[in-house]
Amino acid sequence: MSINPSRSSSFSLRINSHSSLRYMHLLISLSSMSLTRIRPISFHSHHSIFQSSKARPHNCRQILVYSSVSMDSTATELAHDYSPFLRIYKDGRVERLMGTDIAPPSLHPITQVQSKDVVFSPQHNLSSRLYLPRNANPNQKLPLLVYYHGGGFCIETPYSPMYHNHLNNLVAEANVIAVSVDYRRAPEHPLPIGYDDSWAALKWVASHLNGNGAEEWLNSYADIGKVFLAGDSAGANIAHHMAIRNTEEKLVGINLVGIVLVHPYFWGKEPVGNEPKEAEKRATVDVIWHFACPKTSGNDDPWINPLLDPKMCGLGCRKVLVIVAEKDLLRDRGWYYYEKLRNSGWGGLVEFMEITEEDHVFHLQKSTCENALAMLKRMASFIKED
């Protein structure tokens, strides 16, 4: 069954981002709010929440605000205006303003990759965007890539133009079938709901064992005996935890070969590497995590700090590729993950790639730059190698 990922009622306005406040102040203010008062508002964004506002385009842009909440007199009274990111109302409602563009599924004119949206969880109206490479042949099934998008567990979808472009390019380069997963986001759906949705998508993939599933592309073209997981930022965090869960709750038919963790969103109570020099940025990341997972035990919760998780050496795959960016605040977390896994006694192969002179998820915004292309080729070769 195909769906349209666009949300219901919407209205548009224009905001000049020259007037924006620093994102740090926004997140610190969010941390003091009671999340029990937040009402659901859907949103999308095409920027990394780990980047400073300086990295965002400073031009007037059109954005859409989606809301299912009726606007009574009290609901329209602003408590804080953090345009162009958020508005917080006196009744506790949060209105997201950042980025709502959606790229429809299509036949990509350059890569000739086809895509379509397919429901995997009717109960929660969740879908995946499927990608089929050029010249796919049912007589020669291809590896399957399950991809989890980033966004601090709070923003982004598989349908954003940046992710759609990235998956088109990756599918063409690696010659794989891809399933780009939608999951419910915080704070309306705090973690671990996003993890559970991500696991539900993987179970849906497993239902296509022996070509008996509901989706013809997976039945005809995907080799679920050769599955890879990948994600960036929060999506890399999800990919890691799906590999752990695959050890505990082995899915019949799924042979998880490897995972690719791009700029993984891991954290911890004690600063590592260069983090002591970045106290303000650390405070921002602290807030993002507690905002997404209000019932967390803290920054050493195994959900966010796998280095302290005794299950880490039980990854249910046989190889891992960790990719970091030199200027990324999360760079050292990725490095320590690689080092810990490499020395943990885990029996698989772990690889590491660092991109110099780049920041968090740079490849999504600069997909044609030399570093982004090099990273794409490394990801593709990791998938292609036996």
Short mmCIF file of all heavy atoms in Angstrom, two decimals, residues 73-108:
data_model
loop_
_atom_site.label_atom_id
_atom_site.label_comp_id
_atom_site.label_asym_id
_atom_site.label_seq_id
_atom_site.Cartn_x
_atom_site.Cartn_y
_atom_site.Cartn_z
N SER A 73 -8.16 31.32 22.43
CA SER A 73 -7.50 32.57 22.80
C SER A 73 -6.26 32.35 23.64
O SER A 73 -5.24 33.03 23.47
CB SER A 73 -8.50 33.46 23.56
OG SER A 73 -8.97 32.76 24.72
N THR A 74 -6.30 31.37 24.58
CA THR A 74 -5.13 31.15 25.42
C THR A 74 -4.01 30.47 24.65
O THR A 74 -2.83 30.70 24.92
CB THR A 74 -5.51 30.27 26.63
OG1 THR A 74 -6.04 29.03 26.15
CG2 THR A 74 -6.55 30.97 27.50
N ALA A 75 -4.38 29.63 23.67
CA ALA A 75 -3.37 28.89 22.93
C ALA A 75 -2.53 29.80 22.05
O ALA A 75 -1.45 29.42 21.61
CB ALA A 75 -4.01 27.81 22.07
N THR A 76 -3.00 31.01 21.76
CA THR A 76 -2.26 31.91 20.88
C THR A 76 -1.34 32.85 21.66
O THR A 76 -0.63 33.64 21.06
CB THR A 76 -3.23 32.74 20.03
OG1 THR A 76 -4.08 33.50 20.89
CG2 THR A 76 -4.06 31.85 19.13
N GLU A 77 -1.33 32.77 22.99
CA GLU A 77 -0.50 33.65 23.80
C GLU A 77 0.92 33.06 23.90
O GLU A 77 1.12 31.98 24.44
CB GLU A 77 -1.09 33.82 25.19
CG GLU A 77 -2.43 34.53 25.19
CD GLU A 77 -2.96 34.73 26.59
OE1 GLU A 77 -2.12 34.81 27.52
OE2 GLU A 77 -4.18 34.80 26.76
N LEU A 78 1.88 33.79 23.36
CA LEU A 78 3.26 33.31 23.34
C LEU A 78 3.93 33.50 24.69
O LEU A 78 3.83 34.54 25.32
CB LEU A 78 4.06 34.07 22.28
CG LEU A 78 3.99 33.57 20.84
CD1 LEU A 78 4.71 34.56 19.92
CD2 LEU A 78 4.65 32.20 20.73
N ALA A 79 4.64 32.46 25.10
CA ALA A 79 5.51 32.55 26.27
C ALA A 79 6.93 32.86 25.83
O ALA A 79 7.62 33.68 26.43
CB ALA A 79 5.47 31.26 27.07
N HIS A 80 7.39 32.18 24.76
CA HIS A 80 8.73 32.39 24.21
C HIS A 80 8.66 32.25 22.70
O HIS A 80 8.00 31.35 22.19
CB HIS A 80 9.73 31.38 24.78
CG HIS A 80 9.84 31.40 26.27
ND1 HIS A 80 10.54 32.36 26.96
CD2 HIS A 80 9.33 30.55 27.20
CE1 HIS A 80 10.46 32.12 28.26
NE2 HIS A 80 9.73 31.03 28.43
N ASP A 81 9.34 33.11 22.01
CA ASP A 81 9.40 33.03 20.54
C ASP A 81 10.85 32.79 20.14
O ASP A 81 11.70 33.67 20.25
CB ASP A 81 8.89 34.33 19.91
CG ASP A 81 8.75 34.22 18.40
OD1 ASP A 81 9.26 33.24 17.83
OD2 ASP A 81 8.14 35.13 17.80
N TYR A 82 11.11 31.58 19.67
CA TYR A 82 12.45 31.20 19.24
C TYR A 82 12.49 30.99 17.72
O TYR A 82 13.16 30.08 17.23
CB TYR A 82 12.91 29.93 19.96
CG TYR A 82 13.05 30.10 21.45
CD1 TYR A 82 12.15 29.48 22.32
CD2 TYR A 82 14.08 30.87 21.99
CE1 TYR A 82 12.28 29.63 23.69
CE2 TYR A 82 14.21 31.02 23.35
CZ TYR A 82 13.31 30.40 24.20
OH TYR A 82 13.45 30.54 25.56
N SER A 83 11.76 31.82 17.00
CA SER A 83 11.77 31.74 15.54
C SER A 83 13.21 31.88 15.03
O SER A 83 13.99 32.66 15.57
CB SER A 83 10.91 32.85 14.95
OG SER A 83 9.58 32.73 15.41
N PRO A 84 13.59 31.15 14.01
CA PRO A 84 12.75 30.28 13.18
C PRO A 84 12.74 28.82 13.61
O PRO A 84 12.55 27.95 12.77
CB PRO A 84 13.40 30.44 11.81
CG PRO A 84 14.87 30.54 12.14
CD PRO A 84 14.94 31.31 13.43
N PHE A 85 12.96 28.54 14.88
CA PHE A 85 13.01 27.16 15.33
C PHE A 85 11.71 26.73 15.99
O PHE A 85 11.04 25.82 15.52
CB PHE A 85 14.18 26.96 16.30
CG PHE A 85 15.50 27.33 15.72
CD1 PHE A 85 16.14 28.50 16.11
CD2 PHE A 85 16.12 26.53 14.79
CE1 PHE A 85 17.37 28.86 15.57
CE2 PHE A 85 17.35 26.87 14.25
CZ PHE A 85 17.97 28.04 14.64
N LEU A 86 11.38 27.36 17.10
CA LEU A 86 10.20 26.98 17.87
C LEU A 86 9.48 28.19 18.42
O LEU A 86 10.06 29.25 18.59
CB LEU A 86 10.60 26.12 19.08
CG LEU A 86 11.24 24.77 18.90
CD1 LEU A 86 11.58 24.21 20.27
CD2 LEU A 86 10.33 23.82 18.17
N ARG A 87 8.19 28.01 18.68
CA ARG A 87 7.43 28.94 19.50
C ARG A 87 6.82 28.14 20.64
O ARG A 87 6.28 27.07 20.42
CB ARG A 87 6.33 29.62 18.70
CG ARG A 87 6.84 30.61 17.66
CD ARG A 87 5.67 31.42 17.12
NE ARG A 87 6.12 32.33 16.08
CZ ARG A 87 5.70 32.30 14.82
NH1 ARG A 87 4.80 31.40 14.45
NH2 ARG A 87 6.15 33.16 13.94
N ILE A 88 6.90 28.68 21.84
CA ILE A 88 6.34 28.03 23.01
C ILE A 88 5.21 28.90 23.55
O ILE A 88 5.39 30.09 23.79
CB ILE A 88 7.42 27.83 24.09
CG1 ILE A 88 8.59 27.02 23.53
CG2 ILE A 88 6.84 27.14 25.32
CD1 ILE A 88 9.79 26.97 24.43
N TYR A 89 4.04 28.30 23.71
CA TYR A 89 2.86 29.02 24.13
C TYR A 89 2.61 28.85 25.62
O TYR A 89 3.13 27.93 26.26
CB TYR A 89 1.64 28.56 23.32
CG TYR A 89 1.75 28.96 21.86
CD1 TYR A 89 2.45 28.17 20.96
CD2 TYR A 89 1.20 30.15 21.40
CE1 TYR A 89 2.58 28.53 19.63
CE2 TYR A 89 1.32 30.52 20.07
CZ TYR A 89 2.02 29.71 19.19
OH TYR A 89 2.15 30.08 17.88
N LYS A 90 1.82 29.75 26.19
CA LYS A 90 1.61 29.76 27.63
C LYS A 90 0.89 28.51 28.13
O LYS A 90 0.99 28.17 29.31
CB LYS A 90 0.83 31.02 28.04
CG LYS A 90 1.67 32.29 27.92
CD LYS A 90 0.94 33.50 28.46
CE LYS A 90 1.83 34.73 28.40
NZ LYS A 90 1.15 35.94 28.92
N ASP A 91 0.17 27.85 27.25
CA ASP A 91 -0.49 26.61 27.67
C ASP A 91 0.44 25.40 27.57
O ASP A 91 0.03 24.28 27.80
CB ASP A 91 -1.76 26.36 26.84
CG ASP A 91 -1.48 26.06 25.37
OD1 ASP A 91 -0.31 26.23 24.95
OD2 ASP A 91 -2.41 25.65 24.66
N GLY A 92 1.73 25.63 27.24
CA GLY A 92 2.71 24.57 27.16
C GLY A 92 2.86 23.97 25.78
O GLY A 92 3.73 23.13 25.57
N ARG A 93 2.03 24.40 24.82
CA ARG A 93 2.11 23.85 23.47
C ARG A 93 3.38 24.31 22.78
O ARG A 93 3.81 25.45 22.94
CB ARG A 93 0.88 24.28 22.66
CG ARG A 93 0.84 23.74 21.25
CD ARG A 93 -0.53 24.04 20.64
NE ARG A 93 -0.85 25.44 20.74
CZ ARG A 93 -0.54 26.34 19.82
NH1 ARG A 93 0.13 25.98 18.75
NH2 ARG A 93 -0.89 27.60 19.97
N VAL A 94 3.98 23.39 22.02
CA VAL A 94 5.19 23.71 21.24
C VAL A 94 4.85 23.65 19.76
O VAL A 94 4.29 22.67 19.28
CB VAL A 94 6.32 22.71 21.56
CG1 VAL A 94 7.54 23.00 20.69
CG2 VAL A 94 6.70 22.78 23.03
N GLU A 95 5.19 24.69 19.05
CA GLU A 95 4.94 24.78 17.60
C GLU A 95 6.28 24.76 16.88
O GLU A 95 7.11 25.64 17.05
CB GLU A 95 4.19 26.08 17.30
CG GLU A 95 3.91 26.33 15.84
CD GLU A 95 3.27 27.70 15.63
OE1 GLU A 95 3.64 28.66 16.32
OE2 GLU A 95 2.40 27.78 14.76
N ARG A 96 6.49 23.71 16.07
CA ARG A 96 7.74 23.62 15.32
C ARG A 96 7.63 24.44 14.04
O ARG A 96 6.62 24.40 13.35
CB ARG A 96 8.03 22.17 14.94
CG ARG A 96 8.77 21.39 15.97
CD ARG A 96 7.93 21.12 17.16
NE ARG A 96 8.58 20.14 18.04
CZ ARG A 96 7.94 19.08 18.47
NH1 ARG A 96 6.71 18.84 18.12
NH2 ARG A 96 8.57 18.24 19.27
N LEU A 97 8.71 25.14 13.71
CA LEU A 97 8.73 25.98 12.53
C LEU A 97 9.79 25.58 11.51
O LEU A 97 9.81 26.12 10.42
CB LEU A 97 9.02 27.44 12.95
CG LEU A 97 8.08 28.06 13.99
CD1 LEU A 97 8.61 29.42 14.41
CD2 LEU A 97 6.68 28.17 13.45
N MET A 98 10.67 24.66 11.88
CA MET A 98 11.86 24.42 11.07
C MET A 98 11.66 23.36 10.00
O MET A 98 11.37 22.21 10.33
CB MET A 98 13.02 24.01 11.97
CG MET A 98 14.32 23.72 11.24
SD MET A 98 14.85 25.12 10.24
CE MET A 98 16.05 25.82 11.33
N GLY A 99 11.72 23.78 8.73
CA GLY A 99 11.85 22.89 7.59
C GLY A 99 10.76 21.87 7.39
O GLY A 99 10.60 20.99 8.23
N THR A 100 10.00 21.98 6.31
CA THR A 100 8.92 21.03 6.07
C THR A 100 8.90 20.49 4.65
O THR A 100 7.93 19.85 4.26
CB THR A 100 7.56 21.71 6.36
OG1 THR A 100 7.46 22.87 5.54
CG2 THR A 100 7.43 22.08 7.81
N ASP A 101 9.93 20.72 3.88
CA ASP A 101 9.93 20.26 2.50
C ASP A 101 9.90 18.74 2.42
O ASP A 101 10.53 18.05 3.22
CB ASP A 101 11.19 20.76 1.76
CG ASP A 101 11.17 22.27 1.57
OD1 ASP A 101 10.07 22.85 1.65
OD2 ASP A 101 12.24 22.84 1.34
N ILE A 102 9.15 18.24 1.45
CA ILE A 102 9.06 16.80 1.22
C ILE A 102 9.34 16.53 -0.25
O ILE A 102 8.76 17.17 -1.13
CB ILE A 102 7.67 16.26 1.60
CG1 ILE A 102 7.48 16.31 3.11
CG2 ILE A 102 7.48 14.83 1.09
CD1 ILE A 102 6.10 15.90 3.56
N ALA A 103 10.24 15.59 -0.50
CA ALA A 103 10.51 15.16 -1.87
C ALA A 103 9.65 13.94 -2.16
O ALA A 103 9.72 12.95 -1.42
CB ALA A 103 11.99 14.82 -2.03
N PRO A 104 8.85 13.95 -3.19
CA PRO A 104 8.01 12.79 -3.49
C PRO A 104 8.84 11.63 -4.00
O PRO A 104 9.93 11.83 -4.56
CB PRO A 104 7.07 13.32 -4.58
CG PRO A 104 7.85 14.40 -5.25
CD PRO A 104 8.67 15.05 -4.17
N PRO A 105 8.36 10.40 -3.83
CA PRO A 105 9.06 9.27 -4.45
C PRO A 105 9.03 9.43 -5.96
O PRO A 105 8.10 10.02 -6.52
CB PRO A 105 8.23 8.06 -3.99
CG PRO A 105 6.89 8.61 -3.65
CD PRO A 105 7.13 10.00 -3.15
N SER A 106 10.04 8.89 -6.63
CA SER A 106 10.17 9.21 -8.06
C SER A 106 11.15 8.26 -8.73
O SER A 106 11.78 7.41 -8.09
CB SER A 106 10.68 10.65 -8.22
OG SER A 106 11.97 10.78 -7.62
N LEU A 107 11.30 8.44 -10.02
CA LEU A 107 12.40 7.86 -10.77
C LEU A 107 13.45 8.96 -10.87
O LEU A 107 13.24 9.98 -11.52
CB LEU A 107 11.96 7.42 -12.17
CG LEU A 107 13.07 6.94 -13.11
CD1 LEU A 107 13.75 5.69 -12.55
CD2 LEU A 107 12.52 6.68 -14.51
N HIS A 108 14.58 8.76 -10.20
CA HIS A 108 15.60 9.80 -10.16
C HIS A 108 16.20 10.00 -11.55
O HIS A 108 16.65 9.04 -12.18
CB HIS A 108 16.70 9.43 -9.17
CG HIS A 108 17.59 10.56 -8.80
ND1 HIS A 108 18.72 10.87 -9.52
CD2 HIS A 108 17.51 11.48 -7.81
CE1 HIS A 108 19.32 11.91 -8.96
NE2 HIS A 108 18.61 12.31 -7.93
#
